[in-house]
Amino acid sequence: YTQLDHLSIDIQDRTKPQAEMKGDVQGYPYDLTFWADDLQLLASGEPWLLHGAGHIAGRKTEVEASSRLIKQQIISDIAINVTNVNLGVLLDKLEIISGQQASTDNINIKTRIQGSDLTELYEQAEIDLQLGKGYWILQSEDTGHTKKLLFTKASAFTSWQQPVVLNLDGEIEDESIKIEFI
């Protein structure tokens, strides 16, 4: 479940709009503060910048966004960076896989959306996910033996227009590995 406990938007000074959000997602609290460029830039075709900072589940979070409106089409680039993430808990909460021991020093998600309606925004969206340094404890279902995968870089890219691309650089038991899936 998602709960919004507090939302305040201050556009009294249209040159310095601000907003605050507090609540929780699946029992994990978040508090974010946003500030932006002058609202008049939205209609000018110039990039409108939005900045945000705060915490999600106790983790430092930063948000940067740039949006433009050109000929009835929205073009937005959004970057979200979250530090010190327990990937095992995240994968469990997203109901992808449970019981994993994994962590990373940061997750950076970059998205690009563009379109003139919600369907176009969805169909033309691009998502680039990058993990910083981290580890994943791999366990054999057959033997129960574990090995520690250390990664220096892990990334995924997806869009409706291109195949999913996954990359991983790291090592398992002092043996370098590089994995690329397309």
Side-chain angles (χ1 to χ4, degrees):
Y1 72 91
T2 300
Q3 181 174 324
L4 177 64
D5 295 329
H6 172 81
L7 173 64
S8 67
I9 300 171
D10 182 357
I11 56 172
Q12 195 167 14
D13 180 352
R14 296 179 61 89
T15 65
K16 298 177 184 176
Q18 296 181 2
E20 291 182 359
M21 296 173 53
K22 292 181 182 181
D24 65 74
V25 176
Q26 306 234 342
Y28 291 94
Y30 64 86
D31 64 280
L32 297 164
T33 301
F34 296 95
W35 58 99
D37 285 346
D38 188 330
L39 289 173
Q40 293 178 2
L41 289 175
L42 279 172
S44 72
E46 293 295 317
W48 183 67
L49 303 178
L50 173 73
H51 315 279
H55 295 85
I56 297 176
R59 305 300 186 245
K60 182 179 173 188
T61 304
E62 295 176 344
V63 178
E64 295 292 329
S66 172
S67 296
R68 291 185 326 224
L69 180 62
I70 301 174
K71 297 182 182 178
Q72 306 302 324
Q73 186 174 38
I74 296 170
I75 302 170
S76 290
D77 294 300
I78 304 163
I80 302 170
N81 190 58
V82 183
T83 60
N84 300 318
V85 177
N86 183 327
L87 294 171
V89 171
L90 179 62
L91 292 169
D92 186 46
K93 289 296 181 182
L94 293 173
E95 298 181 356
I96 295 172
I97 189 170
S98 61
Q100 300 299 300
Q101 295 179 39
S103 185
T104 183
D105 63 358
N106 77 320
I107 294 179
N108 190 291
I109 304 168
K110 295 180 182 179
T111 62
R112 172 160 225 170
I113 57 173
Q114 64 183 45
S116 57
D117 59 40
L118 287 176
T119 301
E120 281 185 11
L121 290 171
Y122 178 75
E123 289 176 348
Q124 296 181 40
E126 296 177 348
I127 302 171
D128 185 15
L129 170 71
Q130 297 179 8
L131 304 180
K133 293 179 182 176
Y135 71 89
W136 195 319
I137 306 296
L138 305 172
Q139 184 170 11
S140 169
E141 288 184 19
D142 297 333
T143 65
H145 290 102
T146 62
K147 292 185 179 184
K148 191 172 194 176
L149 164 65
L150 299 171
F151 54 86
T152 54
K153 179 181 158 188
S155 64
F157 176 83
T158 188
S159 76
W160 285 102
Q161 313 302 321
Q162 299 173 8
V164 175
V165 177
L166 300 170
N167 294 296
L168 178 97
D169 292 339
E171 63 181 55
I172 297 177
E173 295 187 351
D174 297 326
E175 185 72 33
S176 293
I177 62 168
K178 184 175 183 103
I179 300 172
E180 294 183 22
F181 293 107
I182 296 179

